[in-house]
Amino acid sequence: MADKKALNVEDAFKKIISHCKEYGFIFPSSEIYDGLSAVYDYGPYGVELKNNIKTYWWKAMVQMHENIVGLDSAIFMHPKVWKASGHVDAFNDPLIDNRDSKRRYRADNLIEDYMVKLDDKANKEVEKAAKRFGDAFDAALYRETNPRVAEILRKRQEISERYQLAMNNNDLVEVKQIIIDLEIADPDTGSKNWTDVRQFNLMFSTQYGALAGENEADNRIYLRPETAQGIFVNFLNVQKSTRQKLPFGIAQIGKAFRNEIVARQFIFRMREFEQMEMQYFIRPGEEKKWYAYWKEARMQWHRTLFPENKVKFHDHEKLAHYADAACDIEFQFPFGFKELEGIHSRTNFDLGSHQELSGKKMQYFDPELDESYVPYVVETSVGVDRMFLATLSYALQDEEVPDAKGGVAVRTVLKIPAILAPIKAAILPLVAKDELTEKARHLFHQLKLVTQCQYDEKDSIGRRYRRQDAIGTPYCITVDFETLEDECVTIRDRDSLAQVRLPIAEVANYLNKHISFSTLLG
Ligand code: GAP
């Protein structure tokens, strides 16, 4: 049974990957040279969907907040930025190799996965009991009093404390010992023949300018591992030029690079990826309030796209070097609940460190308090590529629909919200006859000014519908022979398959109404 489930999960994930390739969403990078691991290229529909995701975030975060403004800072930054931020010294992952399988893993992930298994075990016990006892069941009490569940949770707590201590002390011998004591095996082969754990810095470095090769250490610069530092070093430029008062935020979308140890799950963990980050600058002492606020606000945003049971919070066991509180918003990917977004209370760590290393003041004068201080920061950070994968994996479905002969057919359909769809409307002449194609093309040229449209006259109308379903087009607009008489077209709804007949003059309004941001963000 477990194997069958694992197989189904793997099949579902494989289907998403092959769909991405077949329909021009995502291709492996440098494919003709067998690809470059953990690097991907976005194809024609991929780039549209990705742009729409970014616009949707930008709309919600920047355009809908008077006190959040945008920035587009450079990827290359002065190397001291990464010294001050702590990334040179502390942006490491503990890696461990399995001597038999020659596979490399993150030691922290092996231990965290073990704890997730204990959580699952405890939850299953509670679910079983809930079914047995019915309405009167008190889950919290059961967790505390049922000896089996209490024992699982006690063990989990013990591991968590031991693990956190080891990570915080950078005690890699102890991290390995935990793996040995818990008898954690290579997830792929079952081997327990582990090497020692060692730290691995995730930043990519390169040589800068004409002096490359001469004085390597002096000229080393890094590809940014997060976009946030571009925001921190521009904090005063932005605050002064926009006359913002605290609290205010700076948002940025851009590429980030990490030399990930394990990068196996398609676009979930890449070495080159994109982030949508917002740093919210606040008064010291208000960090708890704003951390709670942004947790909730960001969860609400995800819930405009996904149902409640697909997203959940996960508090960090181990805090990053800059944070005093942190959690993830996790999404149920085909391979389980995993991090989609991070929300971090970053204190005044970054601005304070930059002030110290640069010797330049990074302070804000608060007119209401009549004092200057280094602001605190709450950050929200979501990966564009992970949003893409979440959107796609939630929306891609095989569905039974009536076929033309009164039977049942299976269609593959991408039920993404219209606002995110790569193509909003396909304009299709019923058949490729001059009088229809001319009319349809004329409509296409009108509607392309309204939204992203596509004209298609190849293949039968049924095939064209299927193709548009597979790329998530919410509306197919068909021009038929009656159109020539009555100036009306048929609009087919992707999800309900309902068809409405509308005068051509009303189509632009119809589309505007159905694909507006206010359908989700209003
Ligand atoms: N500035 C804070 C920061 O970078 P993070 O939790 O390391 O925090 C934020 O990353 C988000 O960036 C993650 O929630 C994830 O969506 C995305 N992300 C991080 N590493 C990634 C990778 N290797 N591939 C794809 N997305 C990644």
Side-chain angles (χ1 to χ4, degrees), residues 55-77:
T55 306
Y56 188 65
W57 182 87
W58 195 261
K59 193 100 190 159
M61 296 298 281
V62 180
Q63 293 175 1
M64 290 178 68
H65 288 94
E66 284 175 45
N67 68 341
I68 300 182
V69 291
L71 180 74
D72 183 11
S73 69
I75 288 172
F76 288 141
M77 300 183 77

Tab-separated table of all heavy atoms in Angstrom, residues 55-77:
chain	number	residue	atom	x	y	z
A	55	THR	N	3.465	39.661	-11.108
A	55	THR	CA	2.574	40.835	-11.122
A	55	THR	C	1.536	40.734	-10.004
A	55	THR	O	1.195	41.726	-9.363
A	55	THR	CB	1.852	40.942	-12.492
A	55	THR	OG1	2.847	40.928	-13.498
A	55	THR	CG2	1.025	42.195	-12.598
A	56	TYR	N	1.051	39.510	-9.787
A	56	TYR	CA	0.021	39.306	-8.749
A	56	TYR	C	0.586	39.627	-7.368
A	56	TYR	O	-0.084	40.227	-6.525
A	56	TYR	CB	-0.476	37.850	-8.824
A	56	TYR	CG	-1.666	37.577	-7.935
A	56	TYR	CD1	-2.888	38.200	-8.169
A	56	TYR	CD2	-1.571	36.701	-6.862
A	56	TYR	CE1	-3.984	37.955	-7.355
A	56	TYR	CE2	-2.658	36.446	-6.047
A	56	TYR	CZ	-3.864	37.080	-6.292
A	56	TYR	OH	-4.948	36.842	-5.484
A	57	TRP	N	1.824	39.230	-7.148
A	57	TRP	CA	2.488	39.534	-5.866
A	57	TRP	C	2.737	41.041	-5.759
A	57	TRP	O	2.470	41.668	-4.735
A	57	TRP	CB	3.807	38.754	-5.783
A	57	TRP	CG	4.564	38.951	-4.503
A	57	TRP	CD1	4.399	38.243	-3.345
A	57	TRP	CD2	5.629	39.895	-4.250
A	57	TRP	NE1	5.279	38.694	-2.387
A	57	TRP	CE2	6.045	39.707	-2.924
A	57	TRP	CE3	6.254	40.869	-5.017
A	57	TRP	CZ2	7.073	40.460	-2.339
A	57	TRP	CZ3	7.279	41.630	-4.437
A	57	TRP	CH2	7.671	41.417	-3.114
A	58	TRP	N	3.264	41.625	-6.831
A	58	TRP	CA	3.598	43.063	-6.835
A	58	TRP	C	2.348	43.901	-6.568
A	58	TRP	O	2.373	44.868	-5.814
A	58	TRP	CB	4.223	43.421	-8.174
A	58	TRP	CG	4.937	44.737	-8.196
A	58	TRP	CD1	4.460	45.922	-8.676
A	58	TRP	CD2	6.273	45.003	-7.729
A	58	TRP	NE1	5.415	46.901	-8.535
A	58	TRP	CE2	6.534	46.365	-7.958
A	58	TRP	CE3	7.261	44.206	-7.146
A	58	TRP	CZ2	7.747	46.973	-7.625
A	58	TRP	CZ3	8.478	44.807	-6.816
A	58	TRP	CH2	8.709	46.171	-7.048
A	59	LYS	N	1.262	43.485	-7.219
A	59	LYS	CA	-0.011	44.199	-7.040
A	59	LYS	C	-0.406	44.183	-5.552
A	59	LYS	O	-0.724	45.213	-4.974
A	59	LYS	CB	-1.085	43.468	-7.863
A	59	LYS	CG	-2.344	44.226	-8.037
A	59	LYS	CD	-2.329	44.857	-9.410
A	59	LYS	CE	-3.444	45.842	-9.585
A	59	LYS	NZ	-3.132	46.780	-10.663
A	60	ALA	N	-0.366	42.978	-4.970
A	60	ALA	CA	-0.826	42.825	-3.584
A	60	ALA	C	0.120	43.508	-2.600
A	60	ALA	O	-0.327	44.068	-1.597
A	60	ALA	CB	-0.958	41.339	-3.241
A	61	MET	N	1.412	43.460	-2.884
A	61	MET	CA	2.366	43.953	-1.891
A	61	MET	C	2.700	45.429	-2.087
A	61	MET	O	2.818	46.170	-1.118
A	61	MET	CB	3.664	43.124	-1.957
A	61	MET	CG	3.475	41.667	-1.595
A	61	MET	SD	2.903	41.437	0.099
A	61	MET	CE	4.436	41.639	0.996
A	62	VAL	N	2.897	45.862	-3.332
A	62	VAL	CA	3.344	47.242	-3.562
A	62	VAL	C	2.150	48.150	-3.894
A	62	VAL	O	1.883	49.112	-3.177
A	62	VAL	CB	4.397	47.303	-4.692
A	62	VAL	CG1	4.858	48.738	-4.924
A	62	VAL	CG2	5.584	46.411	-4.352
A	63	GLN	N	1.416	47.766	-4.957
A	63	GLN	CA	0.387	48.707	-5.415
A	63	GLN	C	-0.779	48.835	-4.440
A	63	GLN	O	-1.458	49.852	-4.420
A	63	GLN	CB	-0.105	48.294	-6.799
A	63	GLN	CG	1.028	48.472	-7.802
A	63	GLN	CD	0.696	47.981	-9.192
A	63	GLN	OE1	-0.398	47.511	-9.464
A	63	GLN	NE2	1.658	48.075	-10.074
A	64	MET	N	-0.996	47.821	-3.617
A	64	MET	CA	-2.116	47.913	-2.681
A	64	MET	C	-1.694	48.434	-1.302
A	64	MET	O	-2.504	48.469	-0.384
A	64	MET	CB	-2.822	46.552	-2.573
A	64	MET	CG	-3.578	46.226	-3.877
A	64	MET	SD	-4.380	44.627	-3.878
A	64	MET	CE	-5.666	44.862	-2.654
A	65	HIS	N	-0.411	48.788	-1.157
A	65	HIS	CA	0.048	49.374	0.117
A	65	HIS	C	0.682	50.728	-0.152
A	65	HIS	O	1.693	50.802	-0.865
A	65	HIS	CB	1.087	48.461	0.792
A	65	HIS	CG	0.513	47.213	1.366
A	65	HIS	ND1	0.470	46.021	0.686
A	65	HIS	CD2	-0.056	46.975	2.572
A	65	HIS	CE1	-0.098	45.107	1.449
A	65	HIS	NE2	-0.429	45.658	2.598
A	66	GLU	N	0.135	51.751	0.452
A	66	GLU	CA	0.718	53.085	0.245
A	66	GLU	C	2.117	53.172	0.831
A	66	GLU	O	2.912	54.016	0.442
A	66	GLU	CB	-0.146	54.140	0.928
A	66	GLU	CG	-1.406	54.446	0.158
A	66	GLU	CD	-2.290	55.409	0.919
A	66	GLU	OE1	-1.775	56.397	1.450
A	66	GLU	OE2	-3.504	55.140	0.996
A	67	ASN	N	2.390	52.334	1.824
A	67	ASN	CA	3.688	52.457	2.507
A	67	ASN	C	4.666	51.332	2.123
A	67	ASN	O	5.571	51.014	2.877
A	67	ASN	CB	3.486	52.492	4.033
A	67	ASN	CG	2.985	51.156	4.560
A	67	ASN	OD1	2.461	50.345	3.797
A	67	ASN	ND2	3.159	50.921	5.843
A	68	ILE	N	4.443	50.718	0.946
A	68	ILE	CA	5.442	49.764	0.440
A	68	ILE	C	5.837	50.200	-0.969
A	68	ILE	O	4.964	50.418	-1.817
A	68	ILE	CB	4.918	48.316	0.442
A	68	ILE	CG1	4.539	47.898	1.871
A	68	ILE	CG2	5.963	47.360	-0.119
A	68	ILE	CD1	4.050	46.471	2.010
A	69	VAL	N	7.135	50.336	-1.187
A	69	VAL	CA	7.611	50.802	-2.492
A	69	VAL	C	8.569	49.765	-3.077
A	69	VAL	O	9.093	48.909	-2.357
A	69	VAL	CB	8.332	52.169	-2.368
A	69	VAL	CG1	7.342	53.267	-2.014
A	69	VAL	CG2	9.459	52.107	-1.349
A	70	GLY	N	8.804	49.872	-4.366
A	70	GLY	CA	9.599	48.852	-5.059
A	70	GLY	C	11.055	49.230	-5.243
A	70	GLY	O	11.454	50.386	-5.062
A	71	LEU	N	11.844	48.232	-5.609
A	71	LEU	CA	13.269	48.432	-5.860
A	71	LEU	C	13.720	47.337	-6.829
A	71	LEU	O	13.159	46.239	-6.830
A	71	LEU	CB	14.042	48.287	-4.535
A	71	LEU	CG	15.559	48.468	-4.593
A	71	LEU	CD1	15.904	49.952	-4.756
A	71	LEU	CD2	16.229	47.965	-3.305
A	72	ASP	N	14.732	47.672	-7.641
A	72	ASP	CA	15.350	46.639	-8.484
A	72	ASP	C	16.855	46.830	-8.377
A	72	ASP	O	17.449	47.556	-9.154
A	72	ASP	CB	14.855	46.789	-9.926
A	72	ASP	CG	15.412	45.704	-10.836
A	72	ASP	OD1	16.003	44.731	-10.312
A	72	ASP	OD2	15.268	45.818	-12.062
A	73	SER	N	17.448	46.200	-7.390
A	73	SER	CA	18.887	46.407	-7.152
A	73	SER	C	19.693	45.376	-7.941
A	73	SER	O	19.162	44.345	-8.369
A	73	SER	CB	19.198	46.308	-5.653
A	73	SER	OG	19.041	44.990	-5.208
A	74	ALA	N	20.988	45.665	-8.108
A	74	ALA	CA	21.843	44.811	-8.934
A	74	ALA	C	22.137	43.477	-8.245
A	74	ALA	O	22.122	43.377	-7.019
A	74	ALA	CB	23.158	45.536	-9.216
A	75	ILE	N	22.422	42.470	-9.057
A	75	ILE	CA	22.794	41.153	-8.514
A	75	ILE	C	24.192	41.221	-7.903
A	75	ILE	O	24.441	40.696	-6.821
A	75	ILE	CB	22.716	40.090	-9.632
A	75	ILE	CG1	21.246	39.812	-9.970
A	75	ILE	CG2	23.436	38.804	-9.216
A	75	ILE	CD1	21.026	38.937	-11.179
A	76	PHE	N	25.110	41.873	-8.605
A	76	PHE	CA	26.465	42.045	-8.047
A	76	PHE	C	26.447	43.112	-6.965
A	76	PHE	O	25.878	44.191	-7.166
A	76	PHE	CB	27.431	42.519	-9.143
A	76	PHE	CG	27.776	41.456	-10.152
A	76	PHE	CD1	27.903	41.784	-11.492
A	76	PHE	CD2	28.001	40.142	-9.769
A	76	PHE	CE1	28.236	40.821	-12.425
A	76	PHE	CE2	28.330	39.168	-10.697
A	76	PHE	CZ	28.444	39.507	-12.025
A	77	MET	N	27.070	42.811	-5.847
A	77	MET	CA	27.165	43.797	-4.763
A	77	MET	C	28.580	43.776	-4.210
A	77	MET	O	29.320	42.798	-4.385
A	77	MET	CB	26.172	43.458	-3.645
A	77	MET	CG	24.728	43.439	-4.116
A	77	MET	SD	23.580	43.136	-2.768
A	77	MET	CE	23.558	44.748	-1.999
